Amino acid sequence: ELSGQGTQVTTSIGIAMFPEDGSDVQTLLKHADAAMYRAKESGKNRYAFYEPEMNQRAEERLQLTRQMRQALDREEFGLCYQPQYDLASGRLVGVEALVRWRDGDGNLIPPSRFIPVAEDSGLIVPLGNWVLNEACRQAQHWREQGLDFGRLSVNVSGRQFSEEGLQSAVAAALTTTGLPGNCLELEITESWVMEGPYRAEQQMRLLHEMGVNLVIDDFGVANSSMAYLKRFPVQKLKIER
């Protein structure tokens, strides 16, 4: 219990056995760490035993992390925009910004591969800030051209949402680009919201005061109660499939 609020803590455990998986502490810890990442990839809140092929996967993750750092510097990331339509009228009511990565050789690296690595390495914060700024810049450009796109929707990672600098990053993006706050919509997954609902409510209210619309994504995964939904200043729910 933290500050009077119930908080659920889960654990991901990686296990390496002596002497099968290593004869010294450094090797055992390295292999246990690789097994822990497998546990997290399998859905978190579980354990996994070390297997030899995990070393290759761990090395691939490290290499991908290094490539992502370089990709941010080289501006290899880009955005696609998924339209959202009102089915009754056929009217365009919004666009969702989706980040894509094409490396220096022109290969398209799928988000399912690089987003989890960005989350674990912390690169999701600078990447998310870039997405936010670039999407707001594009949306304001559309406004200046007289194009009615409804609202711009941007996904916010759990790590971004839990950091203190999110409000500042949003305010800076809106101020720099000139995009009004009511044209922006931020999506946060239900599981992250429910990890700390009291703090999430505070964050949401600060963003809502800026005129920003808020959406809970993947709703139905974390079994959040309707009482929480009544407290959160949320405009939309996106139902998990």
Side-chain angles (χ1 to χ4, degrees):
E1 193 168 291
L2 303 174
S3 301
Q5 298 294 320
T7 301
Q8 183 179 3
V9 179
T10 61
T11 308
S12 298
I13 302 174
I15 304 169
M17 306 293 288
F18 173 87
E20 296 90 343
D21 301 328
S23 57
D24 59 86
V25 172
Q26 185 175 2
T27 301
L28 285 169
L29 284 174
K30 176 184 175 184
H31 290 171
D33 195 48
M36 186 260 305
Y37 276 109
R38 170 64 62 84
K40 293 173 71 174
E41 288 174 352
S42 301
K44 303 181 181 180
N45 194 29
R46 60 192 64 202
Y47 63 87
F49 285 91
Y50 170 76
E51 297 174 7
E53 69 268 16
M54 291 179 182
N55 273 344
Q56 181 180 353
R57 289 174 60 85
E59 182 56 39
E60 289 174 353
R61 292 178 71 92
L62 285 173
Q63 184 176 353
L64 194 61
T65 301
R66 289 192 292 265
Q67 291 174 338
M68 286 188 67
R69 293 186 192 279
Q70 296 172 348
L72 281 166
D73 293 334
R74 296 171 180 171
E75 299 181 349
E76 293 178 358
F77 290 99
L79 295 181
C80 295
Y81 296 91
Q82 179 172 278
Q84 300 172 345
Y85 289 97
D86 182 321
L87 292 180
S89 66
R91 187 171 62 88
L92 179 70
V93 293
V95 290
E96 180 177 356
L98 303 172
V99 64
R100 295 293 181 261
W101 178 15
R102 194 174 292 278
D103 66 19
D105 296 326
N107 301 311
L108 193 63
I109 301 174
S112 59
R113 186 177 169 211
F114 71 81
I115 291 294
V117 175
E119 287 272 11
D120 286 338
S121 66
L123 287 173
I124 196 68
V125 174
L127 177 60
N129 288 340
W130 177 85
V131 170
L132 178 64
N133 280 279
E134 178 61 20
C136 288
R137 183 199 63 77
Q138 178 64 67
Q140 179 60 14
H141 179 62
W142 286 331
R143 289 183 76 245
E144 291 169 354
Q145 289 182 313
L147 300 176
D148 182 12
F149 57 86
R151 284 197 181 95
L152 166 71
S153 183
V154 176
N155 291 280
V156 176
S157 76
R159 186 171 291 214
Q160 278 179 286
F161 188 71
S162 62
E163 291 202 350
E164 297 292 339
L166 178 60
Q167 292 87 9
S168 298
V170 172
L174 295 176
T175 301
T176 302
T177 62
L179 184 71
N182 60 6
C183 290
L184 178 63
E185 198 169 72
L186 297 180
E187 296 188 18
I188 180 72
T189 60
E190 181 195 30
S191 55
W192 274 102
V193 169
M194 295 313 300
E195 280 198 6
Y198 177 72
R199 187 157 181 251
E201 182 182 359
Q202 292 179 312
Q203 286 263 51
M204 287 179 169
R205 294 207 176 280
L206 290 171
L207 292 165
H208 186 63
E209 288 170 5
M210 297 165 58
V212 175
N213 283 265
L214 299 166
V215 179
I216 293 184
D217 197 4
D218 286 343
F219 179 74
V221 174
N223 298 319
S224 59
S225 71
M226 299 304 289
Y228 277 121
L229 291 181
K230 289 167 70 174
R231 282 168 42 190
F232 295 153
V234 172
Q235 282 70 52
K236 287 183 188 176
L237 297 178
K238 293 180 74 174
I239 310 299
E240 200 273 338
R241 63 178 175 224

